[in-house]
Amino acid sequence: MSAIIEEVVARKLFNSRGRETIEVDIITCEGFGSAASPAGASTGKAEVVCYPEGGVDSALQKFEELVIPELIGMDAEEQNDIDMLLHEIDGTSNFSNIGGNTAFAVSIANAEAAATSLDLPLFKYLSGYVGSELPYPLGNVLGGGEHVLGKTTDIQEYLVMPLNASSFVEAATANVKVHAKVGDLLGKTCKNFTGGRGDEGAWAPNISNEEALKIVFQACQEVSEQIDVECRPCLDVAASSFYDVKKGVYVYSMEGKKRDAGEQLEFMLQLIEDYKLAYVEDPFDEDDYENFAELTKKAENCLICGDDLFVTNRDRLAKGIEVGACNSLIVKVNQIGTLTDALETTKLAKWAGYVPVMSHRSGETVDTHLAHLAVGFGCPVIKTGVLHGERVAKINELIRIEENLGNRAQMSIL
Ligand code: PGA
Ligand code: ZN
């Protein structure tokens, strides 16, 4: 079977926020792959650049001129070579020439084209035929920050993790139940609640940060009592988005309160303890490795995860490992551009005992590759929301993967 690239096509289409994005098709003699790029709203400042100046139009033009002619005739099975080629053509350290989202779309579409050329589902191809562990879904049920237009919580995401679920479908069901329960509780307790939701399908009420956590905690407890799954609350603080760098304080506008780094540390520890949090992402500013490390040292039974801190970048992760910054990291392929780069970072994370969490972006398409990447890379957790078509697409794909694996399917070890 041959995976020689015969044709490459790119187009502009829209993501879940209605913003323009790039989609790339790769056609081999016997296979086909297609991928569209997601986009963040609360992006880390060390991420690669999504598009060159001029946006998607300029990225498409550069792609036609510089990249397509080089890809034709290459072997899609040589993922490393393809990803290296993208770096070479770009010639910068942050994909600011051809655009990180172009690199992402090519890299993923290429892997899929190679997989289909071999008649394999992407997750099997990526895992070298052995992937059989399903990730726990980390689902966003309430939120604010940069993912909502109006006045709501400063903390970006309140999530649920269904620990000890015995199958993926059971875990996904638990998350849907917690999302619905949070909606019920908000309807009963929050006078001005309209049922509005943010970019990722999480409820977006106008309430304080701790009130929100109380509701999510209660919903988790009630659902845990109903079904045989331990639902635990989690947070993505996305603290850089409300950190005042000049004053060195975190500005909690819902409470009219400011916290310096020491107070932020105490606050996080208190929330972890009071609400039995299983996971806290980006609790400090994206350059504050020391306080991440302090929290990781002091927090018990809680994953402390770096997203904006690491931006899926191997060097930033290596620095984090050196100082003990976290025990988990977010993997977002388009933060770093290519599959090969993201895989290297994931391998380093696993080597250091960090739990890698495969993650969507707040702006998504209905692409389902993320589900395959989570299983293919062996990530014990996938962060991909609970509601809205572009989130459910990934969840449903994992249900299909679980079915495809049959008896071999098992939940990851966390
Ligand atoms: P994003 O952030 O808006 O950059 O995708 C989501 C997250 O912080 O996890
Ligand atoms: Zn995050």
Side-chain angles (χ1 to χ4, degrees):
M1 277 186 259
S2 168
I4 300 300
I5 298 174
E6 294 190 326
E7 199 185 339
V8 180
V9 183
R11 65 184 64 83
K12 179 166 76 174
L13 32 72
F14 298 101
N15 71 17
S16 56
R17 264 196 288 261
R19 307 248 169 84
E20 292 177 349
T21 187
I22 187 167
E23 182 174 65
V24 171
D25 297 346
I26 294 198
I27 300 130
T28 65
C29 304
E30 302 187 43
F32 173 77
S34 181
S37 291
S42 66
T43 49
K45 62 177 197 265
E47 292 188 27
V48 298
V49 176
C50 289
Y51 296 110
E53 218 160 289
V56 180
D57 288 325
S58 145
L60 280 170
Q61 200 187 340
K62 288 191 174 195
F63 187 60
E64 306 265 338
E65 283 168 16
L66 304 174
V67 188
I68 294 183
E70 300 295 323
L71 287 172
I72 306 290
M74 287 191 77
D75 184 349
E77 280 188 63
E78 302 298 332
Q79 185 74 40
N80 256 312
D81 293 354
I82 303 275
D83 290 342
M84 283 282 276
L85 175 77
L86 293 169
H87 278 293
E88 270 163 34
I89 297 173
D90 178 76
T92 71
S93 60
N94 60 4
F95 278 122
S96 54
N97 187 13
I98 64 168
N101 273 6
T102 305
F104 170 94
V106 172
S107 197
I108 306 277
N110 180 72
E112 187 175 53
T116 57
S117 300
L118 296 167
D119 224 5
L120 285 173
L122 183 58
F123 78 92
K124 278 197 183 148
Y125 172 72
L126 290 174
S127 68
Y129 305 82
V130 296
S132 61
E133 293 187 358
L134 278 302
Y136 288 89
L138 178 58
N140 192 354
V141 294
L142 190 159
E146 311 265 334
H147 292 171
V148 172
L149 268 183
K151 197 164 180 268
T152 176
T153 59
D154 304 286
I155 291 179
Q156 183 177 278
E157 296 167 33
Y158 296 72
L159 311 104
V160 52
M161 180 118 70
L163 294 177
N164 81 349
S166 58
S167 67
F168 183 81
V169 72
E170 186 181 46
T173 308
N175 281 7
V176 169
K177 283 183 185 293
V178 173
H179 191 288
K181 179 63 74 182
V182 169
D184 279 356
L185 293 171
L186 286 169
K188 282 180 195 143
T189 56
C190 181
K191 271 203 296 293
N192 52 12
F193 183 56
T194 63
R197 300 199 288 246
D199 281 342
E200 296 179 359
W203 303 113
N206 180 348
I207 56 176
S208 78
N209 292 283
E210 217 170 324
E211 254 180 291
L213 191 47
K214 278 194 183 119
I215 284 177
V216 174
F217 179 72
Q218 189 184 335
C220 283
Q221 282 202 315
E222 288 186 22
V223 172
S224 297
E225 277 163 25
Q226 268 171 29
I227 59 175
D228 201 17
V229 175
E230 186 193 350
C231 297
R232 292 267 294 276
C234 303
L235 294 179
D236 178 1
V237 184
S240 297
S241 62
F242 57 97
Y243 183 60
D244 182 332
V245 184
K246 278 203 194 112
K247 297 193 177 123
V249 289
Y250 296 90
V251 182
Y252 286 84
S253 49
M254 287 305 278
E255 284 93 1
K257 205 169 182 151
K258 294 181 178 146
R259 293 185 169 93
D260 65 20
E263 288 164 334
Q264 177 77 351
L265 177 67
E266 288 313 312
F267 184 45
M268 290 298 130
L269 283 166
Q270 180 224 316
L271 296 183
I272 291 168
E273 200 184 316
D274 292 354
Y275 299 97
K276 299 190 175 54
L277 302 182
Y279 170 100
V280 176
E281 181 181 324
D282 282 349
F284 297 99
D285 179 56
E286 62 203 308
D287 286 321
D288 190 353
Y289 285 81
E290 290 100 73
N291 277 300
F292 267 91
E294 266 313 290
L295 183 63
T296 301
K297 207 160 43 175
K298 291 186 173 147
E300 276 169 33
N301 294 323
C302 184
L303 290 174
I304 306 297
C305 183
D307 172 13
D308 293 346
L309 179 73
F310 297 137
V311 291
T312 319
N313 180 306
R314 203 181 176 284
D315 295 340
R316 288 183 71 95
L317 173 62
K319 182 175 171 188
I321 292 169
E322 214 175 282
V323 300
C326 296
N327 49 27
S328 173
L329 103 153
I330 283 282
V331 181
K332 290 172 172 166
V333 177
N334 87 325
Q335 282 182 327
I336 192 70
T338 74
L339 213 48
T340 305
D341 289 295
L343 182 59
E344 270 191 25
T345 306
T346 308
K347 281 185 179 160
L348 177 63
K350 286 189 191 173
W351 171 83
Y354 278 41
V355 174
V357 176
M358 185 58 68
S359 171
H360 64 173
R361 302 302 307 244
S362 52
E364 272 289 336
T365 69
V366 292
D367 272 16
T368 58
H369 302 108
L370 196 80
H372 290 262
L373 294 187
V375 181
F377 279 21
C379 293
V381 182
I382 185 169
K383 187 180 182 222
T384 184
V386 181
L387 290 201
H388 287 185
E390 71 281 3
R391 320 284 150 193
V392 175
K394 282 83 168 158
I395 297 288
N396 284 347
E397 187 71 354
L398 281 158
I399 294 173
R400 291 185 200 103
I401 292 175
E402 186 165 61
E403 180 188 313
N404 176 290
L405 284 165
N407 287 342
R408 294 202 301 119
Q410 53 184 316
M411 290 304 281
S412 294
I413 295 167
L414 240 193

